[in-house]
Amino acid sequence: MRFRTKLYTSIGSLLLFITIIVVILMNMLEQSTVKMNVVINELNERIEIASKIKDETSSTTKILSTILNDRGESINSDLLNAWESSNSDLQVTIASLEKKDSQEKSQELISKFKILHESFRNMGNQALMEKKINPDVELSPLFWDNFDLTSQRMIQITELLHGLQEQGLKNELVRSKDTYNWAVENIYIYLVIGLIIGIAFAIWIIKSTSNNLNKVTDVMKQATASDFDSLPRIEITSKGELSEIAVAFNKMANALEKHSRMEKQLKEEAEELSWLNTKIAEIATLYPEVENVETLANMLISKLLPMVGASYGVFYLKEVDKNNQYLTRISSFAASTDVEVKKQFRLGEGLIGQCAEIKRPIHMDQIPEDYVKIGSGLGEASPKTIMILPVLFEDQVLAVIEIASFETLTPLQIKLLEEVNNNLGIKINSILNHMKVEQLLQESQAMTEELQAQSEELQMQQEELRTTNEKLEEQYEATKQRNFEIQEVSAALEEKAQQLLLSSKYKSEFLANMSHELRTPLNSLLILAQILSENGEGNLTPKQQEYIRTIHSSGNDLLNLINDILDLAKVESGKLDVISTEVELNEVRDFLYQQFAHIANQKKVHFSIEMDSELPKTFVTDEQRLQQILKNLLSNAFKFTESGSVLLQIRSVIKNITGKIGKEQQFERMLAFSVVDTGIGIEKDYQKVIFDAFKQADGTTSRKYGGTGLGLSICRELAHLLGGIIEVSSEMGKGSTFTLYLPNHQMNTKRVNISAARTEAAVSLEANYLLDSNDQVLKEDPMIKHGKSILKNKKILIVDDDIRNVYALTIAFENHDMEILVAENGSEALEVLKDHPNTDLILMDIMMPEMDGFEAIKHIRKISRFETIPIIALTAKAMKHSKEECLEAGATDYISKPINLDQLFSLMQVWLFTKEG
C-alpha cells in the first residue's frame, strides 16, 4: 500500500471508529432514558392505583357505616348500589395492582387485603340482610368492634401499599440517576479508548512503514557484503512502493544466484571432464605395452581401482570349452588367499554369470555384512558398494570385472569405469586375435612338417583307397537293400500300432460294457437285499435276516471287486488323473480317525494317530488319492489284526532315492505315512509278491481273510503317480509296517501318462468316495429332517428297461408310500408324462433301447411344464464323464448303479424339498 493511501486510510479509519463509538454510546444513553421513563410511568400508575385503593376502601367503609346507622324503615337503594359498586371497583383495582406489582412484600399485603376485604364484605352483606329483615334491629357491639378493626386494618394495608409504591418510585429515581451517571462515564471511557486505539493505529502504521524501510536497508547492506551464491531476500508482505522495490530486488537476487550456480556448474563439469580425460589417458598408456590378456588384467585392475577409490577387484575372462562358456578368474586386487573364492562361473550363474548373460552392469549398494570381507594388516570389514561390469565387443561378452568399495561410487567414478570398459573390449579382442594368429602360425609350421611326412604316406594310401573304394561300392548296394527292408518293417510296426490302438479302444468299450452288465443285476440284488434286511413286515426269522445280511455283504464285496478291477484298469491305461492341491495334514488325520474309529471299537483294537511336531502344516499332493492309499492300508491292518493295536505315524524324513534316479546317491526330504499293526504278519518270501495284481500271501491266510489281491497293487501304482513309493517290513506273528513315502515339495497339477507307448483308451470311472461324500453332505442337510414326510404320496416315474431294477425300486418306494409310474424307454416316458403331468420326480436310466436317457432328458426339458421337474440320472456304466454328460443333457443330479437306497432317498428328499420351496 502506498504512503498516501496508508495515511488517508489511517485518519479515516480513526474518525470512523470514533464516530461509531459515539453513535453507539448515544444510542445506549437514549435507550437508558427511554427505559427509565417507562419504569417511572409504571411506578406512577401503581401509586395512583394504590391511592385509588385507599380511597375506595375509605368510601366503602363510610357507605356501609351510613347504611347501618340509618334508622329508616328501608335501606336507601342508592346507598346500597353505591356499596356494591364500591366493592366491585375495589376488587378490580386491587387485581390491577396485583398484576403490575410483582414485589414479594406487595403480593403478601395484597393477599392479606383481599382476605380482609372478603371478610369485610361478607360481614357487611350479613348485616344488610338483617337490616332488610328488621330495619329497627340493633347490631351488637361485637359486630361494631369487628367492623372497626377490619376497616382499620384494610386502611392500614392500603397505606402500606401506597407507601411501598412511593418508596419504589424513589428507589427507581436513584437507580436511574446512577445509570445515567454510569452511561456518561462510559461515554468518556470509550472516547478515551477510541483515541488511544487511533493513536496506536497511527503509530503502528508509521512503525510498519519504518520497519519495512529498515528491512530494505538491512538486506541491501547484506547483499553488498555477500557473494553471489546465496543472496538475502527482502520479505515484505504489504503492497506499495516498498513491495515493488522488494520484488525487483528479489528478482535481481534470483538472477544473480542462478548465474552464479551455472558458472560453478560449468566449472565443475569442466574439472570433471578434465579429470576423466586424464584418467582415461593414463589407462590408455597401458595398452601398447601388453601382449596377453592376463598381463592386461593385472595392470588394468591395479591401476583402475585406486582411481575410483575401490579396495577390492576381480577380473574374469570368458572361455569356451566344448560349446560350454565359462567366466574364469585370471586376476584380482586385494583378494584374500585365506578365503575360498569361486574361480569359475557359467553364463547365468551367480551375479557374475548373470551380468554376462544380460550384458548390463549390476550395481549394488545394500551389501550384507557376511557377503565378502576386505582385509588389511589392521583388520577387515564389509564393502558398501559392489559394481559388476561386462566387457563387450560388438555386443559379445569378452570378460567381466567385479569391483568392491568401502564408499559409494560417485557418478564421475562410474562414468570413468564405463568409459574404460568401452575401450577395454577393443583391446582384449585385439590381444585375443593376436594370440590366435600366433597360435595358428605355430600350428601352421608344425602342420607343414607333418605334411611333408604325410605326402609320402599319401602315395601309399592311394593304392589302398582304390581297393577300399571297390569294397564301399559293394557295401552301398547292400545298404540299399537293408534300407528297403527297414521300410517294410516300419510299415509293419505302424500297422501293429494301429491295431494296438483299435484293441485299446475295444478294451475300453469292453470294460465300460462290463461295468454296465455287472452293476445292473447287482443293483437289484443290493436294493432287494437291503429292503429284506430292514424286515419292514417283521416276518423274517433272525436266521433269515442273517442270510439276507450275508447276501447284501457279498453283493458289496462283489461291487468292491468290480471297482478294484476297474481302478487297476485305469492305472494301467496311463490316463489316471492326479490333481495336486494344498493338503492340510490335520484334516487328513481327522478324516482317517473318523473313518476307522468305529471299526477299532467293534474289533476292540486300539487305534491311534501320531504326528511329528516338526511337520509342515500343509503339503501339495492329490488329497483323494492319498486318502485312497491310506484307507486301503488301514483297512488291511484292521483286517489282519485280531487284537493289539493299529498305529498311523506321520513323519518328515530324509529318504535315499538313489534307486529312482540313477546310480549316484540322492537324498530328498519326504513325508512318511507308516501304518503299524500287531497282526499276523507276512512271510519274507511273500513281501514282494503282495504288491502284484491278484496275488496274496499263502492260500490258508487268503481263505481266512479274503480279498481280491488288488488293493496293494493299486496303492503301489497310485504312490508312483504321486511321486512316491511304498515299502513294507513284517515278521510273522509280530505284525507289519507299511510306509508310504511322498515328496514334501510343490508339484504342478497335471495329467500323468505312465507310458507314452500306451494307448489313450483309458477306462475312467466315478470313484465310490464321491458318492460317499455326497451322502455325508446330504445327511447333514437340514432338509433330511423331514424324512418320509417329503417322499410320502409323491408320484415317481421310473424309466428303465431292466425289469429287475424296476421291480426292486418299486418295492423300495412303495414302502415309503410313494406312487410309482414305469416306462421302459425314453419314448414311453414322454407318453407317460403327458398322461401324468403332476409327476413329482423322474429316475432316468441312461442306457436304454430306442431312445436312451440322454435324448429323453433333452426332450423332457423342451416341454415348458417339465423344465424344472427333478430328473435323477441312473447309470451302471459309471464312466468318468458320465456325470458331466448327464448334467449337460439337463439332468438335475446323478447316481451310479448299484444304487445305495439311503443315498437315493437323500437325493430325492433334497430335490423334492427344493421343488416345493
Side-chain angles (χ1 to χ4, degrees), residues 348-366:
E349 181 184 2
L351 293 177
I352 303 300
Q354 187 63 31
C355 178
E357 184 78 21
I358 63 177
K359 301 177 183 179
R360 293 195 304 273
I362 296 176
H363 189 188
M364 298 182 297
D365 286 331
Q366 302 295 330

Side-chain angles (χ1 to χ4, degrees), residues 72 130 188 286 289 416 430 485 541 643 675 686 717 770 773:
E130 293 179 359
Y188 293 146
L286 302 175
E289 304 174 1
L416 173 62
S430 175
E485 293 174 357
T541 65
S643 63
V675 177
Y686 289 103
E717 297 299 328
L770 292 178
S773 175

Side-chain angles (χ1 to χ4, degrees), residues 323-362:
N323 297 327
N324 292 324
Q325 298 182 4
Y326 299 93
L327 293 163
T328 304
R329 174 182 177 182
I330 63 171
S331 179
S332 62
F333 180 88
S336 176
T337 58
D338 297 334
V339 180
E340 184 179 352
V341 180
K342 191 168 183 179
K343 295 183 178 181
Q344 198 173 62
F345 294 88
R346 294 177 180 270
L347 260 68
E349 181 184 2
L351 293 177
I352 303 300
Q354 187 63 31
C355 178
E357 184 78 21
I358 63 177
K359 301 177 183 179
R360 293 195 304 273
I362 296 176

Side-chain angles (χ1 to χ4, degrees), residues 436-454:
K436 288 180 181 179
V437 169
E438 288 186 351
Q439 183 179 0
L440 290 173
L441 181 60
Q442 293 175 0
E443 292 176 355
S444 176
Q445 292 175 353
M447 290 177 63
T448 301
E449 294 175 356
E450 291 178 2
L451 285 174
Q452 290 176 356
Q454 291 175 357

